[in-house]
Amino acid sequence: MADTLTSAAAQSAESAAHAARLDHVSKAFGRPGGRQLVLDDITLDVRPGEFVCLLGASGCGKSTLLNLVAGLDKPSAGSITTPGGRPALMFQEHALFPWLTAGKNIELTLRMRGMPREQRRPEAERLLSLVRLGGAYGKRVHELSGGMRQRVALARALAQDSQLLLMDEPFAALDAITRDVLHDELTRIWSETNLSVLFVTHNVREAVRLAQRVVLLSSRPGRINREWAIDIPQPRRIEDAAVADLSVEITEELRGEIRRHGQH
Amino acid sequence: MASTETSGAKDAAPVEDAPDPQQDGGADAPHAAVAKQAGRQDRHDLSGLEAGLDALDAVVVKRAPIGQVLVKKVLPPISAVLLVLVVWQLAVWAKVADKTKLPSPSAVGQELGDRWRAGDLFSIIWTSVSHGLLGFAAALIIGTPLGLLVARVPFVRAAIGPILSGLQSLPSVAWVPAAVIWLGLNNSTMYAVILLGAVPSIANGLVAGIDQVPPLYLRAGRTIGATGLRGAWFILLPAALPGYVAGLKQGWAFSWRSLMAAELIASSPDLGVGLGRYLENMREGSDMAGVFLGILLILFVGIAIDLLIFSPLERWVLRSRGLTARSQ
């Protein structure tokens, strides 16, 4: 344990400036009709403890960008650094393993991290109670509701003990009531930890509800179009007037960007 | 979620009183301003809200009570067996066929009693079952790595994948003449025939299982650092288990069938008397009750092994993943 403590301290010292840095990142995929540029010259810093939402219409390469930051794919040009180690990643589907219980799903992540056996169970219990699922340790994935599955998935992502959490439209498949509750939950957990979050969505209100900074991407290729710093205090509500006003402004910008694609 | 009650009470109280231990950094410094907004619910209410949602959304998985299981699962097959016995007995009474061609159920029961008293009933069954299970175990050891190779190495798949699927439609009895010439009339021939029947099924089952693993699991595995061998062991194999178990089940059926056919064809003192050999001996002696008993025993052993080993295994795998279809 002493080992991890020192390395964590060293990490926080060197990563004081950013949790993730994307430096002129481009990504192109080879296609039969030539190469297609998906991401074009993206430069973005996520500060430690910052909550950033990436917003864009279809074809803006949001998911590609997250894959690059997660290290699942390599950029064609530019560089990506994540000083806090391998980022945790949460998907739109819960992606929990159905042959394991909720608790064992989390313990598998702890095991891959190299945590000794006797520490795993208490840590899994702690993470489950952090997402307020204290009684769900022995539950199978199919016994949980959609919202509970996503909370277990969040606990599993937190089990990686990474300083950066990447979220790829994690609430898009949930009903509106559950999504709203999970927004509150995510805000609570984020403010209780020093986690940095890079959150991808196509839902403008969701972005304004959650983020300190919203980054609008243009489509085909994905470029950074505009940024908004959001100083509406947390916890916000999705129906707050300030949230709605800013959402209208951002939606206008987004629609203008989409219209541009229909003009040729 | 024991805190539901207390949080409900806090709900009505002015929010400014709520302690806020999680103020770190500038993340949500202007908290107090928010709290002053009228009508806003305290975040402490969240746990109660969430508990309510969980209770409403909870998926209740019930196991059927034992009485219901008896009525729905045990009663129908017993009725079917009784019906067959009744029709059989009626056919005997109606003298549909000569007694040497259609023995009565009681004559078959008599033969069973004779074998029991002669003390060779269990040795006959055991000879076949031990060959079958041992051969199946060997097929498991060969078929599993073979399936992994075919599933994960494109070259191997292109090379032997089609042959492996094709072999499934070749009855492995067809190998008996070749096996007898190569290996002689001994147990090796029996095992060779079992292997040729079961290995393709097991390997193909594993390939199908691996092909059906959702790519999302592999992606999720990679993000938590389960790559290479660790990924195969912790993610790929458990994810492929349902297809693999289906392959095992089919592999056993093929093993048992091939073994019986091989015993019917090949005869040698070295092989001992198994069920297939017993059946053939009875035919040579024109003992129709013995032939019926042989057929029934082969069927019985095949079903018993499936019910005792493979069906429970398959049910356990599917149920633990919530994959069993149940009417609700």
Side-chain angles (χ1 to χ4, degrees):
Chain A
M1 269 326 266
D3 221 315
T4 46
L5 281 178
T6 46
S7 74
Q11 273 170 1
S12 65
E14 69 179 289
S15 67
H18 59 272
R21 167 162 284 171
L22 287 80
D23 194 19
H24 300 287
V25 169
S26 296
K27 178 70 183 174
F29 289 109
R31 288 278 154 79
R35 282 167 76 75
Q36 191 189 358
L37 193 60
V38 177
L39 291 170
D40 185 24
D41 196 29
I42 306 278
T43 294
L44 179 71
D45 267 11
V46 180
R47 291 190 302 274
E50 190 181 25
F51 200 128
V52 177
C53 271
L54 284 174
L55 187 68
S58 324
C60 71
K62 295 173 290 198
S63 297
T64 307
L65 187 64
L66 277 200
N67 276 345
L68 294 178
V69 180
L72 295 177
D73 206 350
K74 296 249 174 300
S76 310
S79 69
I80 297 175
T81 48
T82 51
R86 185 209 310 271
L89 178 56
M90 223 182 124
F91 310 92
Q92 178 173 338
E93 303 84 5
H94 55 82
L96 296 171
F97 303 125
W99 57 92
L100 299 173
T101 60
K104 292 286 177 194
N105 261 289
I106 297 171
E107 283 184 28
L108 180 61
T109 302
L110 297 173
R111 182 171 183 175
M112 293 297 119
R113 217 176 91 191
M115 180 179 276
R117 177 187 288 273
E118 64 278 6
Q119 291 172 21
R120 285 182 220 145
R121 168 114 199 204
E123 177 65 4
E125 306 256 19
R126 186 188 72 79
L127 288 163
L128 277 172
S129 54
L130 182 66
V131 296
R132 296 206 241 247
L133 281 172
Y137 182 90
K139 285 265 199 310
R140 294 276 173 181
V141 175
H142 66 271
E143 297 173 284
L144 304 171
S145 69
M148 291 159 94
R149 288 174 199 178
Q150 278 308 42
R151 272 146 67 202
V152 176
L154 177 59
R156 178 175 72 173
L158 295 173
Q160 271 183 260
D161 197 28
S162 173
Q163 295 179 1
L164 178 62
L165 174 60
L166 307 173
M167 305 181 89
D168 190 356
E169 302 192 37
F171 308 137
L174 299 175
D175 65 89
I177 299 172
T178 307
R179 190 187 309 139
D180 194 34
V181 171
L182 285 197
H183 285 160
D184 291 351
E185 194 64 57
L186 179 60
T187 304
R188 176 183 70 84
I189 289 169
W190 165 72
S191 61
E192 284 175 8
T193 55
N194 57 353
L195 205 60
S196 319
V197 182
L198 187 56
F199 188 107
V200 156
T201 180
H202 57 239
N203 182 334
V204 178
R205 285 215 175 191
E206 179 172 72
V208 177
R209 157 72 186 81
L210 292 169
Q212 292 177 302
R213 191 149 60 99
V214 173
V215 176
L216 180 65
L217 290 174
S218 65
S219 297
R220 290 198 196 124
R223 287 193 188 105
I224 291 185
N225 188 306
R226 225 184 117 177
E227 273 192 34
W228 288 264
I230 303 182
D231 52 8
I232 307 167
Q234 290 280 16
R236 301 166 195 157
R237 275 302 185 72
I238 203 139
E239 60 271 13
D240 282 346
V243 172
D245 289 348
L246 186 55
S247 298
V248 169
E249 184 190 328
I250 297 178
T251 302
E252 275 312 308
E253 189 80 20
L254 182 63
R255 287 185 175 176
E257 164 57 30
I258 294 169
R259 272 188 211 104
R260 209 171 51 79
H261 287 272
Q263 281 167 2
H264 49 260
Chain B
M1 310 279 161
S3 63
T4 320
E5 309 264 321
T6 47
S7 66
K10 257 182 204 158
D11 211 7
V15 181
E16 287 94 313
D17 295 349
D20 230 339
Q22 56 272 65
Q23 291 286 335
D24 61 326
D28 40 3
H31 216 87
V34 182
K36 289 212 176 70
Q37 286 189 27
R40 180 180 297 278
Q41 283 186 316
D42 179 23
R43 62 162 59 167
H44 292 276
D45 186 30
L46 188 55
S47 66
L49 182 60
E50 223 159 45
L53 264 186
D54 291 350
L56 288 173
D57 287 344
V59 184
V60 182
V61 180
K62 274 191 302 204
R63 291 189 73 155
I66 188 80
Q68 214 177 331
V69 170
L70 283 178
V71 170
K72 280 190 174 168
K73 296 276 168 65
V74 181
L75 197 61
I78 289 179
S79 321
V81 168
L82 285 178
L83 185 69
V84 168
L85 282 176
V86 166
V87 170
W88 181 4
Q89 187 63 55
L90 285 176
V92 170
W93 280 334
K95 298 206 170 25
V96 172
D98 187 59
K99 217 173 128 187
T100 53
K101 288 188 178 167
L102 183 67
S104 66
S106 61
V108 175
Q110 179 79 39
E111 169 70 13
L112 180 67
D114 288 350
R115 291 270 69 80
W116 173 273
R117 277 186 292 277
D120 55 1
L121 179 67
F122 284 106
S123 90
I124 290 173
I125 295 178
W126 179 245
T127 302
S128 291
V129 169
S130 63
H131 281 166
L133 288 182
L134 214 63
F136 179 76
L140 194 67
I141 292 170
I142 298 171
T144 305
L146 187 64
L148 261 181
L149 269 178
V150 171
R152 300 303 281 174
V153 184
F155 185 84
V156 177
R157 182 181 210 130
I160 65 170
I163 301 172
L164 215 52
S165 333
L167 274 179
Q168 278 187 297
S169 50
L170 173 70
S172 62
V173 194
W175 293 100
V176 172
V180 168
I181 292 172
W182 286 332
L183 303 167
L185 269 175
N186 51 44
N187 283 340
S188 318
T189 297
M190 295 294 154
Y191 290 132
V193 172
I194 294 175
L195 286 182
L196 285 161
V199 167
S201 292
I202 295 173
N204 275 320
L206 186 54
V207 171
I210 289 176
D211 285 350
Q212 284 162 16
V213 172
L216 184 65
Y217 292 157
L218 304 180
R219 216 168 141 223
R222 268 185 295 154
T223 60
I224 65 169
T227 50
L229 272 182
R230 292 209 300 180
W233 180 251
F234 288 112
I235 314 288
L236 192 65
L237 283 179
L241 204 55
Y244 183 54
V245 170
L248 293 188
K249 213 174 151 171
Q250 198 195 348
W252 164 252
F254 279 34
S255 306
W256 186 241
R257 276 194 240 172
S258 328
L259 176 64
M260 288 304 102
E263 282 190 8
L264 276 171
I265 296 171
S267 144
S268 152
D270 291 346
L271 291 172
V273 178
L275 282 168
R277 194 67 250 156
Y278 165 79
L279 177 59
E280 183 64 7
N281 287 344
M282 292 297 111
R283 185 197 65 81
E284 282 163 4
S286 295
D287 181 346
M288 205 51 200
V291 169
F292 263 62
L293 179 65
I295 296 171
L296 289 176
L297 283 177
I298 292 173
L299 181 66
F300 172 77
V301 171
I303 294 176
I305 300 274
D306 187 69
L307 280 183
L308 289 176
I309 302 177
F310 295 102
S311 290
L313 184 65
E314 188 174 41
R315 244 196 333 269
W316 171 75
V317 166
L318 294 183
R319 178 177 291 151
S320 65
R321 287 148 208 251
L323 290 175
T324 39
R326 58 180 77 235
S327 47
Q328 279 187 332

